[in-house]
Amino acid sequence: MTSIQTETLKVNDVNLTLRRAGEGETLLLLHGANGSASWLPVFEKLSKEFHVILPDHPGFGDTAPPEWMDNISDMAYFYLDVIDTLGLDNFHLAGHSMGGWMAAEIGVRDGHRIKSLTLVSAAGIWVKGTPMGDLFAWSPQETTHQVFAQKSVIDQMLALQPSDEELEDALKNRQMAARLCWAPRLHNPDLRKWLHRLKMPTLILWGDSDGIFPEPYAHAYHELIPGSQLEVYKNCGHVPMLEARDDFLDRLTAFTQGVS
Amino acid sequence: MDFFFFNLMPYGALDLDYDKKFASANLLLPNSYYDPEEGHKLYTRYLDELEYADELGFDGVCVNEHHQTAYGLMPTPGVIAGALARNTKNAKVCVLGRALPLVNNPLMIAEEFAMIDNITKGRFVAGFVRGLGVEYHAMGINPAFSLERFHEAHDLIIRAWTETGPFAFEGKHYHLQYVNLWPRPFSKPHPEVWIPSQGSEETIRWAAHPDRKYTYLNVYSPFSAVETFMSMYRQICEEEYGYKAEDRQLGLAVPIYVGETDEIAAKEARPHIEAFFNKFLRIPNELLLPPGYATIKSLKAIALAKREMLGGGKTMERMNDLGMFICGSADTVRSRLEEFQDRVGLGHMCTILQFGTLPHELTKKNMELFASEVMPHFEGRLRQQQSQAAE
């Protein structure tokens, strides 16, 4: 088993908690509004091929938020500082959901060190006439049904009995997600003007049954990012790392290694 | 203790079976349930009731703000307050309150309130609230910035009311090059401010501050919780701020029904108060407490205090026992209110004498009995601190 190290990286006034494992080219993973848990199903496998870094964003998990962190633009500039601090060059970047939005915002600001970009079920744009799901208005049960597509996964998720600590973490993540993404809801109206600046090889991965960002969002991203590749998984919801795990791993690994 | 008449202006014609299809009378209930013919009748009737309260000698008439809900038909309370400004003579006109963070330019609230204050010659109370959590869904405002926006908007309004303009207001959420209010408020230094709240400690501490000494108005909590919040207010004043809070700094809003006897009161009030609690006030937690609306500590405290409030299946008896509804003969209601006054030292009692589906005739009777049989009893009555309270 690969050993996963947790460490703290001081970036400006933030003590950033991050997980790190593996060797080789660096793959920086950005998690979504629900915290780093979404990447965990594939983290270990990915660390066999890459040097994987998975931070807890400020305000999520074990990283306390600085007062000034108000929006995804702040997050994007913050991560450019993280990339500088880590000394990353020619690295791969992959983001899920809100983390996908952050990855796109980072890429349009300064893409020259990013060797490849993968957007998974990414927030960041609005598709007119196709409303996003309202995750802030859903009950926990409703959320499970909207986020996952497969009955076995839904049943498994509904049966979970989170501890008080886990509940408090979830509340904390949700609060920070609201701070960053409530309005405009989970997107930046200006982002689509600049997605053409993503000139690095880009892969878009999506589930066809995503209740938060329905499939047309995947196609919209695909059209807005010149030369991007798109794969949509059948009977898969918002977390392909879980519901299409093997295909997802194969595709992400092959794509990332292919550009190496 | 003085008495105010609060009308929430619910859509009393609501089809109460709506909850077979929809989870809440707030936000998600289609407005096809609203019939403008009924709406017109209700607005007319509710305005009549508010004006009648002035005739009956209530010290004030109160309205408030809610959005996209059958619970209250006053998204813009200034419209109602404007009508009352002309048609009432003695009662204070109270907007309890306006939800400051929900607007993108609070100067408009400063202007609107200054107008009412001028028209009424200072017979006006300004209530400032953050709005229910569900209203951050309804108005698309980020709940995580609610508190920051509330404080900034408040500072802007008070400065606009008290400082000579034009001046610039430099905030994070509100940034205005020109603040120069026309009209200036009639009241000096500015209209009386009340803070209706659900009992967050941060709010109590802020309202009690010697620079403000705002009236803290508790809404919809079991009386045991009210007692805790009011003691907290007094304690903060004494221990942190070094002054003794006056009774006028504490108020309570509560639905009340007075009948000829306890039995008649219970029989007449039951369907309407149960509709009020179980149908009009039905809000799922996800909508009521959006993320960021309160600190995690407060979220937990509110959730505990409100657990009684926002689920379904509440009986009148239970609400009565908790002190969230006061019902009975004039004698019963008097002794209940005496107990409230004595236990916490209330300065203001905002009576909600129309609730849910309560029709006009019963509302009118309730108001008349309250005004003639209950109110006079409290004229000049001071808080009696019972010896057992110290035990």
Side-chain angles (χ1 to χ4, degrees):
Chain A
M1 202 174 145
T2 327
S3 73
I4 303 176
Q5 295 170 15
T6 302
E7 58 185 72
T8 305
L9 182 75
K10 176 99 176 150
V11 182
N12 309 328
D13 55 347
V14 176
N15 291 307
L16 188 72
T17 299
L18 53 87
R19 290 180 177 79
R20 205 199 266 266
E23 286 169 10
E25 296 202 346
T26 297
L27 171 61
L28 175 62
L29 301 176
L30 302 180
H31 67 71
N34 202 30
S36 51
S38 61
W39 279 111
L40 293 183
V42 293
F43 184 87
E44 202 187 314
K45 279 265 170 77
L46 288 171
S47 71
K48 293 200 174 19
E49 311 290 334
F50 305 100
H51 166 223
V52 187
I53 300 175
L54 171 60
D56 284 347
H57 306 321
F60 295 82
D62 289 331
T63 306
E67 259 183 45
W68 51 264
M69 185 63 79
D70 286 333
N71 51 52
I72 295 295
S73 174
D74 288 338
M75 269 296 185
Y77 282 114
F78 170 75
Y79 268 101
L80 287 169
D81 282 355
V82 172
I83 290 162
D84 287 344
T85 308
L86 286 166
L88 299 182
D89 202 1
N90 267 331
F91 70 102
H92 305 277
L93 178 63
H96 172 235
S97 194
M98 181 191 77
W101 176 11
M102 286 163 52
E105 296 272 6
I106 293 165
V108 299
R109 280 166 176 72
D110 182 3
H112 75 276
R113 286 172 291 184
I114 303 170
K115 207 166 170 186
S116 80
L117 175 68
T118 303
L119 304 180
V120 186
S121 320
I125 55 172
W126 183 271
V127 177
K128 266 193 185 167
T130 308
M132 296 171 182
D134 188 354
L135 76 164
F136 292 124
W138 292 332
S139 68
Q141 290 75 13
E142 176 74 6
T143 304
T144 303
H145 283 279
Q146 296 285 350
V147 167
F148 301 104
Q150 295 162 16
K151 190 172 180 303
S152 58
V153 176
I154 291 171
D155 290 346
Q156 189 193 329
M157 290 295 163
L158 290 176
L160 289 178
Q161 298 281 351
S163 66
D164 278 4
E165 201 185 330
E166 286 169 326
L167 277 179
E168 193 153 330
D169 269 0
L171 268 179
K172 210 167 56 182
N173 290 346
R174 216 170 136 79
Q175 294 224 356
M176 193 63 189
R179 184 178 180 91
L180 301 169
C181 308
W182 184 278
R185 183 58 59 87
L186 285 160
H187 75 292
N188 167 4
D190 295 317
L191 178 61
R192 55 167 66 228
K193 295 182 213 167
W194 304 107
L195 286 171
H196 65 269
R197 289 176 52 82
L198 299 176
K199 303 212 191 297
M200 67 293 285
T202 298
L203 171 66
I204 297 159
L205 299 174
W206 224 273
D208 70 342
S209 309
D210 188 334
I212 301 179
F213 307 117
E215 195 185 319
Y217 281 76
H219 298 284
Y221 256 125
H222 183 44
E223 281 162 29
L224 287 162
I225 303 173
S228 59
Q229 303 172 38
L230 168 66
E231 180 146 350
V232 176
Y233 300 107
K234 294 247 179 289
N235 192 26
C236 172
H238 185 62
V239 191
M241 298 83 123
L242 193 66
E243 288 189 304
R245 186 168 172 267
D246 294 344
D247 290 346
F248 177 91
L249 270 169
D250 289 349
R251 185 67 199 256
L252 177 59
T253 307
F255 166 75
T256 308
Q257 284 173 339
V259 299
S260 292
Chain B
M1 188 158 69
D2 52 19
F3 290 93
F4 292 67
F5 172 77
F6 207 143
N7 197 318
L8 302 167
M9 298 205 172
Y11 183 62
L14 181 64
D15 170 6
L16 296 179
D17 283 335
Y18 81 83
D19 59 351
K20 289 182 179 149
K21 287 194 202 149
F22 299 97
S24 176
N26 246 288
L27 192 70
L28 305 174
L29 182 67
N31 62 3
S32 52
Y33 277 76
Y34 179 84
D35 173 359
E37 293 288 336
E38 292 296 335
H40 168 74
K41 283 187 232 160
L42 284 168
Y43 277 118
T44 307
R45 174 203 146 183
Y46 289 150
L47 275 163
D48 287 346
E49 288 166 8
L50 284 155
E51 290 167 17
Y52 190 44
D54 178 45
E55 284 174 40
L56 289 172
F58 281 82
D59 298 288
V61 287
C62 315
V63 297
N64 69 352
E65 169 182 343
H66 286 297
H67 296 273
Q68 306 195 32
T69 174
Y71 168 76
L73 297 178
M74 287 182 284
T76 308
V79 172
I80 303 296
L84 293 172
R86 291 287 294 171
N87 288 339
T88 57
K89 295 290 166 263
N90 300 308
K92 286 182 181 173
V93 175
C94 316
V95 180
L96 302 176
R98 285 251 20 211
L100 308 188
L102 297 183
V103 297
N104 287 322
N105 185 353
L107 201 56
M108 298 188 68
I109 295 176
E111 291 171 338
E112 177 187 305
F113 280 5
M115 285 172 69
I116 303 169
D117 194 44
N118 275 268
I119 295 168
T120 57
K121 209 176 171 190
R123 197 163 41 83
F124 173 65
V125 175
F128 296 147
V129 296
R130 288 169 53 203
L132 292 176
V134 65
E135 279 151 345
Y136 289 77
H137 289 282
M139 302 302 279
I141 298 293
N142 193 333
F145 294 116
S146 159
L147 200 56
E148 287 180 13
R149 286 169 72 97
F150 178 83
H151 287 308
E152 247 184 55
H154 164 270
D155 294 350
L156 168 57
I157 292 169
I158 297 293
R159 286 190 58 194
W161 279 347
T162 53
E163 289 181 27
T164 303
F167 65 86
F169 184 84
E170 299 155 316
K172 172 179 168 184
H173 298 280
Y174 307 112
H175 193 115
L176 294 162
Q177 186 75 39
Y178 302 101
V179 179
N180 187 18
L181 210 66
W182 286 77
R184 289 194 291 132
F186 183 89
S187 303
K188 290 191 175 54
H190 59 72
E192 189 178 342
V193 175
W194 289 19
I195 306 296
S197 163
Q198 310 176 43
S200 102
E201 190 179 329
E202 296 98 317
T203 303
I204 291 173
R205 178 166 283 111
W206 178 82
H209 191 279
D211 289 350
R212 292 179 279 273
K213 297 188 178 176
Y214 292 158
T215 295
Y216 169 77
L217 179 75
N218 192 270
V219 278
Y220 305 149
S221 303
F223 190 71
S224 56
V226 172
E227 210 171 3
T228 308
F229 299 142
M230 303 282 177
S231 316
M232 191 194 291
Y233 189 110
R234 288 183 182 280
Q235 197 181 344
I236 287 170
C237 289
E238 272 180 41
E239 291 175 7
E240 292 180 28
Y241 297 144
Y243 77 92
K244 190 171 166 10
E246 297 168 49
D247 286 359
R248 62 137 197 102
Q249 285 172 263
L250 298 172
L252 177 65
V254 66
I256 298 175
Y257 192 80
V258 193
E260 290 78 356
T261 65
D262 287 349
E263 292 71 28
I264 293 174
K267 186 164 174 285
E268 287 176 348
R270 180 188 303 283
H272 309 295
I273 194 68
E274 289 184 354
F276 173 71
F277 282 114
N278 295 318
K279 307 284 182 163
F280 287 88
L281 260 174
R282 191 185 181 88
I283 310 176
N285 254 332
E286 292 72 40
L287 297 182
L288 185 72
L289 298 171
Y293 177 72
T295 61
I296 290 179
K297 186 179 155 210
S298 294
L299 274 183
K300 286 181 177 165
I302 294 171
L304 286 179
K306 298 285 149 180
R307 190 169 287 170
E308 287 294 348
M309 191 62 200
L310 298 152
K314 279 175 285 287
T315 63
M316 179 176 71
E317 284 74 14
R318 177 89 181 121
M319 294 298 105
N320 205 28
D321 289 347
L322 288 167
M324 296 171 73
F325 177 49
I326 300 172
C327 181
S329 65
D331 200 34
T332 302
V333 171
R334 274 196 302 264
S335 55
R336 207 84 205 272
L337 291 180
E338 275 181 0
E339 186 199 339
F340 280 19
Q341 185 186 24
D342 296 343
R343 274 166 64 181
V344 301
L346 281 179
H348 309 291
M349 174 59 71
C350 293
T351 64
I352 300 169
L353 301 177
Q354 194 288 332
F355 37 80
T357 46
L358 192 74
H360 177 65
E361 285 315 310
L362 293 182
T363 304
K364 192 160 166 273
K365 181 167 74 109
N366 188 21
M367 293 170 71
E368 285 164 354
L369 283 173
F370 191 87
S372 63
E373 306 289 323
V374 180
M375 266 162 40
H377 178 74
F378 289 89
E379 205 155 303
R381 184 182 187 275
L382 296 172
R383 179 186 189 187
Q384 324 264 303
Q385 282 178 294
Q386 299 133 323
S387 53
Q388 66 262 32
E391 278 172 19

